[in-house]
Amino acid sequence: MAQLEQVTTSVDTVVSRLRALDASLPAGDGVAVFNRVYLAVTEAVDRRIDTGRFTDAHAATTLDVRFAERYLAAVDAVDDGRRAPACWRPLFQLRRHPGVRPLQFALAGINAHIGHDLALAVVDSCRTLRCEPADLEDEFDRVGDLLVSLEERVREDLMPGPDLLQIADPLTHLLGAWSLERARDATWSAARALWALRELPDVAEEFTERLDAAVGFAGRMLLTPLP
């Protein structure tokens, strides 16, 4: 019988890495804005795992770690002078643009991480755990619910003030075009499709590339510089 692939990285290790990034990046850097959001998510997941809020703690840990590895790999690629996946490129390219507001940086990072990375992390986790996506649906939903609640807090914390409520503010229109709930639903469908295509590697690779490009396009729109 094949040996199960082991998850050698713990959630605590991921949290430490995210905290180190937070300490090393300038506060106004677009990647730093997203990193703070993601650090808060990962810390919350870690607390829920520790307090037994997940039915299967091992599965939840595996999904959380595999999820984080995708973002951290993109950071490492850019630091090493390599190209990040297409979904992450807009954030790294526009991270210091003066016309992009903090809320845009945060949601562009969430878009890349949920729209692309989470689907691949589900597949990675299924391979690690030798299970089907349906076996991870509870963990996926719990993490997704946490992200949705955090998105609401992020919007409140990073909104630029009462002007956002004015219909004339272009940020109102831009952010109204993207929904984490819809992105999460699409991600679950993408993960199931990728798992179904695992015996067709050429088709799976093409599907992954198109997903990456589509999420990157959405991220570019979210990062449209505003007056």
Side-chain angles (χ1 to χ4, degrees), residues 14-26 31-32 35-36 39 71-72 75-76 79 95:
V14 170
V15 168
S16 295
R17 178 77 193 281
L18 295 174
R19 286 175 177 165
L21 278 171
D22 183 53
S24 68
L25 294 170
V31 177
N35 192 80
R36 287 194 294 273
L39 173 58
Y71 163 59
L72 295 173
V75 172
D76 290 341
D79 287 347
R95 62 195 295 178

Side-chain angles (χ1 to χ4, degrees), residues 9-58:
T9 303
S10 68
V11 179
D12 287 340
T13 302
V14 170
V15 168
S16 295
R17 178 77 193 281
L18 295 174
R19 286 175 177 165
L21 278 171
D22 183 53
S24 68
L25 294 170
D29 182 287
V31 177
V33 174
F34 167 73
N35 192 80
R36 287 194 294 273
V37 172
Y38 190 43
L39 173 58
V41 170
T42 307
E43 288 174 333
V45 170
D46 194 22
R47 287 193 297 271
R48 281 163 172 73
I49 291 172
D50 289 343
T51 55
R53 300 280 293 278
F54 285 94
T55 305
D56 187 336
H58 180 54

Side-chain angles (χ1 to χ4, degrees), residues 107 110 146-155 178 180:
L107 294 185
I110 292 172
L146 179 60
L147 286 163
V148 169
S149 66
L150 186 67
E151 184 207 14
E152 295 172 358
R153 195 179 83 190
V154 167
R155 286 178 183 260
W178 186 84
L180 193 150

Side-chain angles (χ1 to χ4, degrees), residues 168-184:
D169 190 327
L171 185 59
T172 304
H173 300 280
L174 186 64
L175 300 182
W178 186 84
S179 161
L180 193 150
E181 285 274 19
R182 291 196 298 269
R184 185 178 69 167

Side-chain angles (χ1 to χ4, degrees), residues 122 126 130-137 188 195 198:
V122 169
C126 287
R130 303 291 194 267
C131 68
E132 298 285 325
D135 298 321
L136 294 178
E137 189 167 7
W188 183 246
W195 185 250
R198 65 191 182 282

Side-chain angles (χ1 to χ4, degrees), residues 34 38 67-68 70-71 88 108-118:
F34 167 73
Y38 190 43
F67 189 29
R70 293 279 172 180
Y71 163 59
W88 285 108
I110 292 172
N111 169 70
H113 206 34
I114 298 297
H116 174 267
D117 292 356
L118 185 54

